[in-house]
Amino acid sequence: MKKFRNIILSLFITALISCETYPDQEVEHSPIWPMAGEWLTYAYTQDGTPFGATTANQRGTRLTLRTYNTAANSSDQAWIRMGTNTQAPAIWGKISVNVNEKTFAGRDIPNDLFPGKTFSLNEAKVLLQATTTPSGAVADSIYINYIASDGITYTLRGHRRTAWTPTE
């Protein structure tokens, strides 16, 4: 009986000690937050035609765009990458960032997906809490208008990836 009481007492003391609470972990963001992220976008040509549109899929090809900080962890530069080297509107290069204005900029940026090619940003910005995703969640929006070195102007429009299941 004494052994049983000691076991119960030990379990009770262990339970009291294990109830200690800790503060929430501090979330750290990169210096270019909220500009950094994964964005689900659609590309449009200058006349408004969606890239990859077919009669069955009139919205076109959904493209994943990523914006992320550089190895220097700078607050005024970022990498931008969208698509692959088999997709016409694909871009990958280092761009300038203005976190306060929520804008991106750059002229004649080397396109690492197409050696010898460049792209220039006409207008590029992030709008916080400015759109509703297909699942109904409110999310940040991105708008990028750029010119590829072949002279074609593309417009990307999309939203920050939320990981919520689309309901469309």
Side-chain angles (χ1 to χ4, degrees):
M1 185 68 166
K2 204 175 198 182
K3 197 180 219 183
F4 180 70
R5 188 181 67 187
N6 287 341
I7 291 172
I8 295 296
L9 185 59
S10 296
L11 289 173
F12 181 73
I13 291 171
T14 303
L16 283 177
I17 293 171
S18 66
C19 289
E20 185 175 347
T21 58
Y22 296 98
D24 289 339
Q25 184 176 356
E26 186 69 28
V27 177
E28 295 181 23
H29 293 293
S30 77
I32 62 166
W33 178 261
M35 308 296 288
E38 184 173 80
W39 309 87
L40 301 178
T41 65
Y42 290 91
Y44 303 89
T45 58
Q46 197 164 359
D47 66 0
T49 304
F51 171 75
T54 63
T55 51
N57 177 16
Q58 295 180 2
R59 287 188 77 181
T61 303
R62 187 173 72 186
L63 302 163
T64 301
L65 171 75
R66 290 178 178 86
T67 52
Y68 48 96
N69 62 314
T70 63
N73 215 23
S74 166
S75 63
D76 62 356
Q77 283 192 323
W79 284 101
I80 185 169
R81 182 175 183 160
M82 191 245 348
T84 66
N85 60 0
T86 61
Q87 296 170 317
I91 53 175
W92 186 13
K94 196 180 292 187
I95 58 175
S96 297
V97 176
N98 183 325
V99 177
N100 292 331
E101 299 286 324
K102 311 281 185 289
T103 59
F104 302 107
R107 294 274 173 239
D108 299 320
I109 304 159
N111 191 342
D112 290 349
L113 286 173
F114 300 104
K117 304 284 185 176
T118 63
F119 65 96
S120 294
L121 300 177
N122 290 330
E123 183 180 7
K125 59 188 171 186
V126 170
L127 303 166
L128 302 179
Q129 303 293 301
T131 192
T132 303
T133 67
S135 67
V138 175
D140 299 339
S141 175
I142 194 163
Y143 173 86
I144 297 175
N145 181 279
Y146 71 96
I147 301 173
S149 59
D150 59 6
I152 298 175
T153 299
Y154 293 99
T155 300
L156 301 174
R157 286 188 222 120
H159 66 274
R160 187 182 303 276
R161 183 170 184 254
T162 62
W164 291 98
T165 305
T167 58
E168 46 181 17

